[in-house]
Amino acid sequence: MAQQRVRAEREWFGAIAALEVLLQQNQQAKSEDSPQAKGLILAGPLPVLGQPELLANYATWSFTADPLATLMGLPFQLPPALGEPSSCETNPTLSLLPGDPLAAEQFCFALTDQFSLAMVLGEDVEGNPQFSFSFDPSIVERVWQTLRLRVVLMNAYQVGRLDRLFQQFPPIAPDYRLVTQFSHQLLAHLPDIEDSKESHLREEQIEIALQRTRRRTKSAHCTSPALLSSPQNLDVELLQAIAHEVRTPLTTIRTLTRSLLKRRDLLPDVVKRLEMIDRECSEQIDRFGLIFRAVELETSATKLESTSLTPTSLAEVLQQSIPRWQKQASQRNLTLEVILPQQMPPVVSDPTMLDQALTSLIDRSARSLPSGSCIQVEVTLAGDQLKLQLQSQMSPTEHHEAKTRGHYKPLLKSLGQVLMFQPETGSLSLNLAVTKNLFQALGGKLIVRQRPEQGEVFTLFLPLEPGSIHPGTLHHI
């Protein structure tokens, strides 16, 4: 194990030196007077570039779960040259959650107009130290999506800058001679086993930073190098970390808020604000709880059998949910119309998860619709099932504009293997594939239909409890 670690670390430092050679050559091939960045370099948990001319010409960013790590200062890490300010970002820090599996790995991601490269010092599936690198554009693209997910979740204000750099330097297949040169340079720059005192100090400092993050991650075990491993597995580990890091403080805030609400000397305006805090905390706790539960179902060996289904009163679920849905809609200047039967027989499902899953659909629709639109929810009988349909209706103005464009573009964008992301608000939701699997685990079947000028129509079928009474006529709420 010790020999493997020494070998992997030597390859890592040799690769950093080889990368610097390629970056220098790429820089010399460009105009020296150009103020534009000549590439993008992302690294963690500490910066990897040390030459001032490289720092001045490449946009460099560092991911870390420990802000103090960037203050340690490495022997080979020099400040950028003095003089005119550079247009490049020089080592700004991007946050990682302490439980994120990437927090325990050393990695570097490089984009230029000549090549794209991802390299990682981590562990293989058996926990042995391993160094890996790839020039494959598809792998580099996957690594970018993995890193971008962290930026969206923890550093959303930086997403625009990084997206522009990624568009400027998209992953490309390099000339085979460049890959050969990188391999030769890596071997040529392998540190000696009996290294200098300065190099020992450098490795010691990096190891201190890694040990700090490993202590925080505790039981979070990284397999493969995580950055180059299965994207779904990495998304799962990240979401598990988020579920803990976000829900725990929110639960504490909600508990303290509810204790304050018990006081009798509060002004009405204070009570109103505390109730808003309590409601918002509850919504976010439920949101991340649902995401975490959906991830568990996606990775469970038994999947469907892992959810306990019981006779569930959909009428009670909706009675509790509709007021919340109406508030969600009104906050975005939307209207909510609900059409229910006078009687609803019980269905077979999980009441708590069903409530959260339906709320997630309402939230998805509300966040994707322009102001002035209407969300309609209708429940009807469909044989031995109950049918719940959710659809949107745009305002005449928005409908005309959508018709002119020829199609409706939802604001949500895919983010990783599990989530959808709305750039305008930074909100997260489950993607459609995971949402369908979630409703299947709840005993139902979700069908999604896209309408060119109106958006999505969700139709959910839930099985009735055997022997239940059929619903009667309809009335409006």
Side-chain angles (χ1 to χ4, degrees):
M1 178 73 75
Q3 291 176 343
Q4 289 176 343
R5 180 169 184 78
V6 170
R7 177 180 177 179
E9 289 181 346
R10 291 178 68 222
E11 292 173 345
W12 165 255
F13 287 114
I16 292 175
L19 172 62
E20 289 189 332
V21 171
L22 297 186
L23 293 177
Q24 287 174 339
Q25 293 177 350
N26 181 71
Q27 174 182 317
Q28 293 169 1
K30 309 300 176 186
S31 171
E32 294 295 335
D33 299 328
S34 174
Q36 298 296 323
K38 297 176 175 59
L40 169 65
I41 311 296
L42 304 177
L46 297 171
V48 296
L49 296 185
Q51 301 184 29
E53 62 271 19
L54 294 180
L55 291 173
N57 285 281
Y58 291 90
T60 60
W61 307 65
S62 302
F63 287 84
T64 180
D66 186 354
L68 295 178
T70 57
L71 302 179
M72 294 173 57
L74 303 182
F76 63 87
Q77 182 184 340
L78 301 176
L82 298 177
E84 292 297 321
S86 170
S87 63
C88 297
E89 296 285 351
T90 304
N91 291 334
T93 300
L94 299 170
S95 300
L96 290 172
L97 283 171
D100 193 322
L102 291 189
E105 287 191 347
Q106 294 171 254
F107 61 88
C108 180
F109 174 86
L111 294 177
T112 72
D113 59 0
Q114 297 295 316
F115 67 90
S116 48
L117 170 65
M119 53 189 194
V120 189
L121 175 61
E123 296 178 349
D124 62 19
V125 293
E126 297 178 352
N128 299 316
Q130 180 184 29
F131 169 71
S132 300
F133 72 89
S134 178
F135 286 87
D136 186 337
S138 63
I139 294 179
V140 173
E141 168 80 21
R142 193 178 75 192
V143 170
W144 161 252
Q145 293 298 335
T146 297
L147 294 176
R148 187 180 185 277
L149 174 61
R150 272 71 182 171
V151 180
V152 169
L153 294 177
M154 301 295 294
N155 315 267
Y157 65 98
Q158 300 283 26
V159 172
R161 296 183 185 181
L162 288 174
D163 280 348
R164 287 191 292 272
L165 286 167
F166 182 80
Q167 293 170 2
Q168 184 180 351
F169 303 102
I172 59 171
D175 189 295
Y176 75 94
R177 290 169 295 187
L178 187 143
V179 179
T180 301
Q181 181 186 8
F182 176 83
S183 299
H184 289 165
Q185 290 291 339
L186 189 158
L187 294 174
H189 287 86
L190 286 177
D192 295 333
I193 295 179
E194 296 296 331
D195 214 340
S196 65
K197 180 178 180 181
E198 180 178 301
S199 296
H200 278 307
L201 177 60
R202 176 181 64 186
E203 296 181 18
E204 206 172 274
Q205 288 175 319
I206 290 181
E207 184 59 30
I208 291 172
L210 287 174
Q211 286 177 354
R212 185 180 290 113
T213 58
R214 284 167 184 156
R215 283 197 299 269
R216 290 189 178 188
T217 58
K218 294 181 180 179
S219 60
H221 177 66
C222 300
T223 59
S224 180
L227 194 61
L228 300 179
S229 66
S230 166
Q232 184 169 7
N233 291 340
L234 194 55
D235 284 355
V236 168
E237 291 177 328
L238 174 63
L239 291 175
Q240 288 172 338
I242 292 174
H244 178 268
E245 295 294 328
V246 174
R247 291 172 67 193
T248 299
L250 285 177
T251 302
T252 302
I253 294 171
R254 184 174 65 176
T255 301
L256 294 174
T257 301
R258 289 180 176 178
S259 67
L260 288 174
L261 284 171
K262 294 179 180 179
R263 295 177 53 175
R264 299 182 179 180
D265 58 343
L266 298 177
L267 297 175
D269 185 58
V270 174
V271 172
K272 181 179 179 180
R273 293 179 183 274
L274 289 175
E275 288 175 344
M276 290 175 60
I277 293 173
D278 177 78
R279 183 169 59 253
E280 184 66 25
C281 286
S282 296
E283 289 179 2
Q284 297 305 321
I285 290 170
D286 289 344
R287 178 196 300 273
F288 283 101
L290 181 67
I291 290 174
F292 183 62
R293 183 59 175 142
V295 169
E296 281 187 327
L297 291 171
E298 287 293 302
T299 57
S300 171
T302 54
K303 286 200 174 182
L304 299 182
E305 289 78 2
S306 60
T307 301
S308 177
L309 304 181
T310 60
T312 299
S313 173
L314 184 60
E316 292 182 2
V317 171
L318 294 177
Q319 185 179 10
Q320 296 174 358
S321 301
I322 289 173
R324 286 188 279 110
W325 298 350
Q326 289 174 331
K327 287 181 179 179
Q328 284 179 281
S330 63
Q331 288 173 354
R332 295 173 175 81
N333 195 26
L334 306 172
T335 57
L336 177 70
E337 179 185 6
V338 183
I339 304 174
L340 302 176
Q342 291 182 344
Q343 295 180 354
M344 279 185 288
V347 296
V348 180
S349 188
D350 179 311
T352 301
M353 284 188 62
L354 180 61
D355 176 19
Q356 295 176 359
L358 290 174
T359 300
S360 178
L361 286 185
I362 294 288
D363 188 62
R364 176 189 175 95
S365 295
R367 293 177 185 272
S368 300
L369 289 172
S371 176
S373 302
C374 174
I375 300 175
Q376 184 186 82
V377 180
E378 182 177 5
V379 179
T380 56
L381 180 66
D384 59 351
Q385 300 179 98
L386 211 58
K387 173 185 172 184
L388 185 149
Q389 188 170 79
L390 188 157
Q391 58 185 323
S392 57
Q393 296 177 346
M394 290 187 184
S395 65
T397 302
E398 292 291 342
H399 183 270
H400 175 73
E401 292 181 0
K403 191 173 183 179
T404 302
R405 293 191 301 263
H407 64 284
Y408 169 72
K409 291 184 177 180
L411 301 177
L412 296 172
K413 296 183 178 181
S414 178
L415 185 66
Q417 304 296 307
V418 178
L419 298 178
M420 300 294 289
F421 170 64
Q422 186 182 12
E424 289 78 3
T425 64
S427 64
L428 299 172
S429 61
L430 297 171
N431 66 32
L432 287 180
V434 175
T435 301
K436 288 181 179 180
N437 291 340
L438 176 62
F439 278 107
Q440 186 178 2
L442 293 174
K445 180 179 180 180
L446 179 67
I447 299 174
V448 182
R449 181 165 56 91
Q450 299 286 347
R451 295 180 299 176
E453 299 170 8
Q454 288 285 358
E456 299 166 327
V457 177
F458 301 99
T459 304
L460 173 64
F461 293 93
L462 292 166
L464 298 177
E465 182 188 10
S468 58
I469 302 174
H470 290 177
T473 57
L474 303 181
H475 71 282
H476 289 68
I477 293 184

